[in-house]
Amino acid sequence: MDSEETRGYRAFLKQSVWCLTSQYQVSFSFFFLFFCFVFSSWSFFFFQIWWAAGIMFQDITTLLLDHKAFKDTVDIFVDRYRDMGISVVAGIEARGFVFGPSIALAIGAKFVPLRKPNKLPGEVISEAYVLEYGTDRLEMHVGAIEPGERALVIDDLVATGGTLSAAVRLLERMGAEVVECACVVGLPEGQRRLDGKPLYILVEPRLSVNY
Amino acid sequence: MQPGFSILCFQASADLPFLVFYQRKGVMHAAASLLNSSNLSLRFASQTQTRLSPWIAAPSSVRLPLNRSQNYRIALPPLHSTVSGDSTQPQQMASADVKAQDPRIAGISSAIRVIPDFPKPGIMFQDITTLLLDTKAFRDTIDLFVERYKDKNISVVAGIEARGFIFGPPIALAIGAKFVPMRKPKKLPGEVISEEYSLEYGKDVMEMHVGAVQAGERALIVDDLVATGGTLSAAIRLLERVGVHVVECACVIELPELKGRERLGEKPLFVLVS
């Protein structure tokens, strides 16, 4: 039996709300389709890797505890760069300092540290790069390298490529030719900001924890 | 008289009457007087009148230049001045009497650049980046450490951020040890233990990953420079807290005036350049 309420203002309100939301029902369906696409296709896989590389910290200190794995890491880089005529290895503070000097010693190159501001004592040139929030600077000693030298940039991890591209710009401002950038861990997407400079990566980031 | 001495006499014309007077007393006395008469701030000069033979047996690194004048200061092999500002302090003279200086050390110490007034006025900063630009000197530095430690059964090399990361890993790779970074706060991602240490003004904290080292392991601590020894002693305390035996601390440069060795107590400290 219809009561008076079902035909009153409440019924009118319900009907009007339903009309108003009906336009959102269309966009809701689009969102629904979008999420279906994302969660059902291969693009979700890459999405998760991108998300993981930022949030799942790739900790190389355990690599340094495994002497054989650490030695193999350095050996792979050395085997690759030994015959490329590289005279400068530039390492980015501070985890680049862990891998760079060993490679430099083995290939007979000099090692140049690229550091955060106000760490290097002499005259420096600096380059700004963009972080997720804000900017940071990378500095290098003036006179550390001469124009025309062939350089290699080393870091432990490449994510967006911002730091690496700042390092490349720094070296090129001093007249060096950056042969390649080398990282232990990274995504191929990190090369996007390197303006065509080759990027050599040993391993890709892992998504799962293993401790 | 020795021929060298006569050349000295000829050159040091201002001292000639002095020399003639002392000729009778002997060559060594005259040489000592020459030293004392000119403005040389050599620590051992005061000892020459009482112990002349050790002066004569002084290390080969002391080269008496032939063109001496009244105010000429003997240029010793490159030793690095510290806060005291006197650039001819022969800190190594005492130890050089008892051990021969490795010939590679001269190349290493000449590759180190001293920058005044960094980070604060009055501080002479020992810059090792120029050492890293000299491939031979850098290789010699690592070789000297590796030769010393490769048979000491060391399983852990701990490097102190960030310049310890430059020297530590090559040593660790060469002696077959693992490398453990000791870092400033909030850099290491996993679970850490931390140790507080005091700076000239204020305090700082050093951290190490839990589980990086096991109790009973033999460790070596590497840093580029030891000044007051505060950072090194914090590293020693961190490692000993987890039961590791710290065999030695190794640094490239030591600033002896700041008495880092005393602060480390009984822990041995090995440095290349003083």
Side-chain angles (χ1 to χ4, degrees):
Chain A
M1 276 293 249
D2 289 335
S3 68
E4 204 174 339
E5 272 186 309
T6 59
R7 290 288 170 257
Y9 65 94
R10 274 200 180 187
F12 174 74
L13 279 176
K14 280 183 199 167
Q15 209 171 26
S16 59
V17 165
W18 180 251
C19 288
L20 283 170
T21 55
S22 61
Q23 56 189 317
Y24 296 102
Q25 290 165 25
V26 172
S27 40
F28 170 72
S29 60
F30 276 121
F31 282 119
F32 177 69
L33 284 172
F34 169 74
F35 281 119
C36 281
F37 172 75
V38 166
F39 280 87
S40 64
S41 73
W42 50 264
S43 62
F44 172 65
F45 180 66
F46 286 103
F47 166 77
Q48 206 181 29
I49 291 180
W50 166 81
W51 172 84
I55 299 176
M56 298 283 274
F57 195 96
Q58 310 291 316
D59 182 18
I60 49 103
T61 62
T62 41
L63 170 68
L64 309 178
L65 298 179
D66 182 345
H67 173 257
K68 185 178 183 313
F70 186 20
K71 198 165 185 347
D72 289 342
T73 308
V74 173
D75 287 345
I76 293 174
F77 285 127
V78 168
D79 288 339
R80 182 179 174 83
Y81 297 115
R82 182 183 291 126
D83 301 318
M84 283 196 182
I86 289 170
S87 59
V88 177
V89 172
I92 301 179
E93 171 164 26
R95 292 190 288 263
F97 292 2
V98 172
F99 298 98
S102 307
I103 300 169
L105 282 169
I107 67 176
K110 48 193 192 185
F111 179 73
V112 172
L114 305 182
R115 300 205 67 175
K116 296 280 191 302
N118 305 319
K119 298 285 182 74
L120 292 170
E123 191 191 348
V124 295
I125 56 167
S126 64
E127 187 73 35
Y129 62 99
V130 178
L131 291 174
E132 197 181 358
Y133 299 105
T135 60
D136 203 349
R137 301 191 75 83
L138 205 60
E139 291 188 340
M140 184 175 83
H141 267 145
V142 167
I145 58 177
E146 274 125 52
E149 295 206 71
R150 288 165 62 83
L152 170 69
V153 181
I154 298 273
D155 203 0
D156 68 318
L157 182 143
V158 55
T160 58
T163 328
L164 276 183
S165 61
V168 168
R169 286 197 302 276
L170 258 184
L171 290 167
E172 290 186 334
R173 265 167 65 186
M174 294 298 289
E177 177 203 343
V178 179
V179 172
E180 200 160 88
C181 298
C183 297
V184 180
V185 195
L187 290 168
E189 278 71 46
Q191 196 180 4
R192 247 186 296 136
R193 292 177 62 173
L194 290 182
D195 286 331
K197 278 279 175 266
L199 172 64
Y200 179 67
I201 300 169
L202 288 188
V203 294
E204 289 201 341
R206 226 184 21 247
L207 310 178
S208 57
V209 299
N210 63 335
Y211 50 83
Chain B
M1 276 201 294
Q2 297 149 6
F5 187 76
S6 54
I7 294 170
L8 274 172
C9 294
F10 180 75
Q11 300 273 341
S13 52
D15 296 327
L16 217 52
F18 211 50
L19 282 170
V20 167
F21 178 74
Y22 276 98
Q23 216 174 36
R24 288 168 177 260
K25 292 207 168 176
V27 169
M28 298 306 120
H29 285 282
S33 308
L34 262 176
L35 274 174
N36 289 327
S37 61
S38 51
N39 288 330
L40 296 169
S41 61
L42 294 171
R43 229 181 253 158
F44 61 78
S46 60
Q47 296 172 350
T48 48
Q49 292 192 322
T50 50
R51 296 190 309 138
L52 292 170
S53 31
W55 181 79
I56 299 304
S60 55
S61 52
V62 175
R63 296 177 292 276
L64 206 60
L66 294 181
N67 51 334
R68 288 183 61 242
S69 60
Q70 188 78 10
N71 295 322
Y72 189 77
R73 277 178 151 188
I74 288 182
L76 291 169
L79 295 167
H80 296 284
S81 62
T82 60
V83 249
S84 64
D86 189 338
S87 59
T88 55
Q89 296 263 343
Q91 291 100 343
Q92 274 187 316
M93 287 301 116
S95 56
D97 281 340
V98 288
K99 74 173 193 280
Q101 194 185 41
D102 193 300
R104 293 173 282 186
I105 291 184
I108 293 169
S109 65
S110 63
I112 297 169
R113 176 169 68 158
V114 179
I115 294 188
D117 298 331
F118 183 89
K120 291 192 294 257
I123 296 184
M124 306 285 277
F125 192 89
Q126 312 287 324
D127 181 21
I128 48 103
T129 62
T130 42
L131 171 67
L132 308 176
L133 298 178
D134 181 345
T135 44
K136 183 179 183 316
F138 186 24
R139 196 174 307 121
D140 288 342
T141 309
I142 303 295
D143 288 345
L144 281 164
F145 286 126
V146 169
E147 282 161 19
R148 184 179 174 85
Y149 297 114
K150 67 176 185 288
D151 298 319
K152 293 208 172 163
N153 200 18
I154 287 171
S155 58
V156 177
V157 173
I160 302 179
E161 171 164 27
R163 293 190 287 263
F165 291 5
I166 298 176
F167 297 99
I171 299 169
L173 284 171
I175 66 176
K178 51 191 187 186
F179 179 73
V180 173
M182 323 271 277
R183 299 206 70 174
K184 296 277 191 294
K186 300 193 195 58
K187 299 284 184 73
L188 292 170
E191 192 189 348
V192 294
I193 54 170
S194 53
E195 185 73 33
E196 205 176 56
Y197 61 102
S198 49
L199 297 172
E200 198 182 357
Y201 298 106
K203 292 188 189 300
D204 204 349
V205 176
M206 177 183 295
E207 293 185 341
M208 182 177 79
H209 267 147
V210 166
V213 291
Q214 269 78 50
E217 294 201 79
R218 289 164 59 81
L220 168 71
I221 302 178
V222 176
D223 203 359
D224 68 319
L225 183 142
V226 53
T228 56
T231 327
L232 275 183
S233 51
I236 293 171
R237 286 197 303 274
L238 251 185
L239 285 169
E240 290 188 334
R241 259 167 67 183
V242 289
V244 168
H245 171 57
V246 178
V247 172
E248 199 160 89
C249 297
C251 297
V252 181
I253 306 168
E254 177 190 14
L255 305 181
E257 287 72 28
L258 301 179
K259 302 198 178 9
R261 235 173 247 271
E262 279 98 64
R263 183 117 174 229
L264 292 183
E266 73 279 357
K267 277 288 173 244
L269 170 68
F270 174 67
V271 293
L272 298 183
V273 175
S274 290

